[in-house]
Every structure is written in C-alpha cells, then in structure tokens.
Amino acid sequence: MSSLRQFLPALLLLILGGLLALYLVPAELNQMQWEVPGMPSTYPLEQQCRPIFLALLCFLPFIGALRYAFMGTMDKYMVRNFVSYFLMCTLILLLIYILADFTENMERFRTRFDNPVAQALRFYGMQLPMFLYQILPYTLLMGALWCLSKLSGTCEITGMLQSGRSLLRVCRPVFFISVLVAVAYGIFGFHWAPNGQLYRQLLLKEAPKAGEEKALVFRSENTFRIWRIAKPATIADPGRPMERVIIEQFDPEDRGRLLRQYIADSATWNKADSTWTLHNTYERDLSFATVRPADDTYIGEQTYDFSEKPYQILTPGQGGRIESIGTSALYEYIDSGAGNQEDRAKMRTEWHVRIARIFSCIILVLLAVPSAITFQRRGTMKGIGIAVLLAALLLFFYRVFPALGEARVIQAWISAWIPNACYLAISVYLFRMNLAHRSFTEWLRARLQGKP
C-alpha cells in the first residue's frame, strides 16, 4: 500500500497524459494534412517531429511525478514549495494577460462573429501556448524568488545546509523542475506559439465581419500559379469550399506568359490524397492566344493534382512576420536557400534565438537562487529587486543583439547566445558572493572603494 501511495500521482498523470495525447496527437496529424505541403510520406523530418513533441509535452508531468516518487523527504519538500509558488505566479499572470487581452478585443468578437462567446473560447485556447511562451521564464523566476526567499527568511535553507548538503544540492529539485519547464517552453516555441501568433493575426486583423466577403489572391512561386478566390474559407473553417475560383498557370520558362486558366464555381480540397476538385469548371487554353482566340472548354467537375494546400492559400504573406512561422518551417526555409540574404539572415537569427531562449528558463532560476537566499541579518528585497531588474534587462538584450544578427553586423548564433552567456556569468558570480556571505551591494561598495 505504501508503494501504491508513492507512485499513485505518477500513475494518474500517466493516464491523464495518455488521454490528452490520444486527443491532441490525431488532431495535430489532421492539422498537418492541410498545412504541410506534400503527402504525409514526404513530410520533412522537422515537420514529423511535431506530433512527437506534442506527445512528449503531454507526458512531462508524468516524468516529473515519477522522479518525485524517488526523491527524499527534503527534496520533496522543496519541490512542493517551488511548484506551488511557480503555478500560482503562472496562473495569476496568465489570468491578468487573458483578461487584459479580452478587454481590448471584446468589441471585435461582438461585431465580427455570430457566436462571440464560443469564438472567444476557441481563440484563447489557441492563444494559450503563445501566452505561456511569453511568460514562463519570468514566472519561473518569480516562483523561485518567492519560494527561496520565504524558506531563507524562516531559516529553513540554513537548516538544510546544516544537514551537510551544499547550496547547489539543496536547490537541485528546483533546477530539475526548471529543466522540465524549459523543455515544455521549447516545445511551445517549436510550432504552437508561432501558430497562435499567426491565428491571432488572421482572426483579429484579417477576418471579415459576418456576412462580408473578402477576395483573396495567392501566388505560388514554386508552381508558377496564381489563385484568385472571391469567397475564400477562413482559418476558422478550412474545410469549407473556396467559392468563385480562378487558377492561372504561368509558363515556368517565361513567367509573364499565361498558359492556362481554370474558372470554377467552387474548389474543394481532398485531404485523403491531397488533390483539389473543381466544380462547374471551365478550362481556358491560352498557350496559343497570340495566334488564335483562347479555347474555353467546359469540364464540369474535375480533380486536379495541385500541390497547394488550404493553409498556404489562407495565410498569404505569413512569411512577412517571422514570429508567426514555426521553427520547423524556419529550418526548411533556411535549408532550402530560398529568398534574399536579408530574409535568410532574419530567419537564421530567429532560429538561434528560439533555441537560446529555452536555456533562459534555467539561467533565470540560477539568477534567482543567490538573489533570494541570504545568510545575514538583512532582508532579501535588495537581491530580489536586482534579480527583477536583470530579468527586465534580459528582455532588452533579446531585442538588441538579435537585431545586430539580422543586420548581419555579427554572426546570427553569436547574437542569440550573447545574452545567455552574460547572464550565466552573472549568475555564477552571484553564487560565489552568496557562498562568501556577501551581498551585491556590499560587493559594489567594496569595488567603489578599491577593495577586493
């Protein structure tokens, strides 16, 4: 019975994670069928990782609970305290974020959609990964500061150290939880946070009001085709047929020469075989238009092997906002060598920044430990204030240095990793000062006076 109680939380989280994976992974595979170009058998490795990462995200709580079951009493006490404060900070900040955003966009939901409540719930469900991606490193910092300052203020940290453990060993459970959160943070940034940004852009800025029609023009550079759709589907209902469609096929050798037009009342995409069915179709042959009139042929209903997918057509210009492109799509773009040097520099920098920011979760916790723990008769507010100030400056550095990488002033990977390297050095130095029982202000005062 004692073993059952020990592993019961892990068992429950395993079951919940499995049920969540059974719901989310098939939905993600279905999403990929209308989003990723080509057939599932030809998907690049980066895109095939999406359902794998999503399944891993579902089982991260189980991994944490399983490791918790093998911890000692002191480590479990640290985990319970840190997780409770971290979750409290995350929920509070997330609630404030959502309420502020809903207040700003409430009028848009009311005027644009027939069922604004259902649409708002769906919208913020899609936005959740993006919100968490923006706040998780800083709620980790706040949770660690809150937890460790409380334990330090009640001398519990001192008691743990007197048991023979080092400060790093005492805080090891905090670092373990931070690593799990960093993995979840990286998974969010791989696809779902950028996708939430794209969904937000399309729904709030480009979606027409109820009953309105908005024509769409999509140019496919790879297939030399232009789609002109008078009444397109939207990102919220990609399965709806495209109505009043004109597809123009240009000559690959002479891109200004129009070869053929397909004029149809509607176009339906078949995700089973990645084909398009055009209904009530006229096919216009323009290949001989210079010597004789164009030929119009009534086809009726016909299936065509066009490689474009609804996601590509419904999101024109998505490449203009790099933050709305998934990491896998960024890698594919960089690897293909497409675009000009400026675009490739921006995408390469963004790719490195997303990887570097995963480690910011751990670095900010490293910064919080020596800032919140004190062994002297003084408050911890100075250390906490300095940690919060440094965290705010980290946001600034993640803007400045990547901008230098995008401008090709420095290498992209250097611009992405400079903030992490600087803050890791600061964290190590603060650890050394803390172990020497010196505060940051005492160190600064000694430096100004020329003392070691």
Side-chain angles (χ1 to χ4, degrees), residues 96-375:
I96 294 173
Y97 202 148
I98 292 176
L99 287 177
D101 190 82
F102 178 73
T103 302
E104 180 182 352
N105 296 308
M106 183 169 53
E107 185 65 20
R108 296 182 181 178
F109 286 114
R110 188 184 68 82
T111 57
R112 289 188 176 186
F113 305 106
D114 296 331
N115 191 346
V117 176
Q119 189 62 52
L121 291 175
R122 177 176 179 177
F123 173 77
Y124 286 107
M126 291 285 294
Q127 296 296 286
L128 189 60
M130 187 192 73
F131 290 157
L132 290 174
Y133 187 74
Q134 293 177 354
I135 68 174
L136 275 182
Y138 305 99
T139 56
L140 268 176
L141 173 71
M142 291 188 293
L145 289 172
W146 192 355
C147 171
L148 295 176
S149 63
K150 179 178 179 297
L151 294 178
S152 179
T154 56
C155 297
E156 293 177 80
I157 295 291
T158 303
M160 294 176 185
L161 294 175
Q162 289 176 347
S163 67
R165 299 186 176 191
S166 66
L167 182 59
L168 286 175
R169 176 61 185 86
V170 168
C171 296
R172 190 169 72 179
V174 175
F175 297 141
F176 172 72
I177 298 300
S178 302
V179 170
L180 290 182
V181 175
V183 173
Y185 182 80
I187 293 174
F188 286 141
F190 183 77
H191 172 75
W192 294 274
N195 188 66
Q197 177 69 29
L198 177 63
Y199 184 80
R200 178 187 187 87
Q201 173 189 348
L202 294 172
L203 191 65
L204 294 183
K205 295 185 178 180
E206 298 183 8
K209 296 181 180 180
E212 289 185 356
E213 297 182 6
K214 185 176 181 180
L216 182 149
V217 177
F218 172 74
R219 181 187 300 272
S220 176
E221 299 291 345
N222 297 327
T223 60
F224 309 102
R225 277 193 289 268
I226 295 180
W227 294 62
R228 305 181 189 275
I229 307 172
K231 188 177 181 182
T234 67
I235 195 74
D237 57 351
R240 183 167 64 80
M242 310 287 186
E243 300 182 25
R244 301 202 295 277
V245 179
I246 299 176
I247 304 172
E248 299 175 341
Q249 179 67 63
F250 288 83
D251 188 351
E253 301 297 332
D254 181 7
R255 300 188 181 186
R257 182 187 177 198
L258 182 61
L259 296 179
R260 194 175 299 274
Q261 281 184 327
Y262 304 90
I263 306 170
D265 285 348
S266 62
T268 305
W269 188 71
N270 314 307
K271 67 179 181 180
D273 54 2
S274 294
T275 59
W276 286 90
T277 300
L278 303 185
H279 306 277
N280 197 19
T281 309
Y282 285 88
E283 187 173 316
R284 179 174 296 172
D285 186 2
L286 298 169
S287 56
F288 302 102
T290 56
V291 296
R292 60 184 175 85
D295 295 331
D296 285 357
T297 305
Y298 179 73
I299 303 297
E301 183 173 306
Q302 182 68 31
T303 299
Y304 295 90
D305 190 20
F306 297 143
S307 61
E308 293 83 358
K309 289 197 172 185
Y311 180 82
Q312 297 171 276
I313 297 173
L314 297 179
T315 56
Q318 61 172 311
R321 302 194 57 165
I322 296 179
E323 66 271 19
S324 64
I325 304 177
T327 305
S328 56
L330 279 177
Y331 183 83
E332 290 177 45
Y333 188 92
I334 296 169
D335 189 57
S336 67
N340 54 45
Q341 291 185 356
E342 183 180 352
D343 290 339
R344 288 199 300 273
K346 289 181 179 180
M347 292 194 173
R348 191 178 293 109
T349 303
E350 177 68 17
W351 187 74
H352 283 289
V353 167
R354 289 186 188 179
I355 298 175
R357 292 191 68 172
I358 297 174
F359 294 89
S360 68
C361 296
I362 304 171
I363 291 175
L364 286 176
V365 172
L366 282 172
L367 184 67
V369 172
S371 301
I373 296 176
T374 178
F375 304 112

Side-chain angles (χ1 to χ4, degrees), residues 438 441-452:
R438 297 178 67 185
T441 53
E442 290 169 341
W443 169 82
L444 183 61
R445 189 180 303 114
R447 289 292 182 183
L448 292 176
Q449 294 175 357
K451 300 177 181 180

Side-chain angles (χ1 to χ4, degrees), residues 349 401-402 404-416 418:
T349 303
F401 287 105
L404 297 177
E406 293 176 0
R408 290 178 288 169
V409 175
I410 56 178
Q411 292 289 330
W413 68 271
I414 296 177
S415 68
I418 281 179

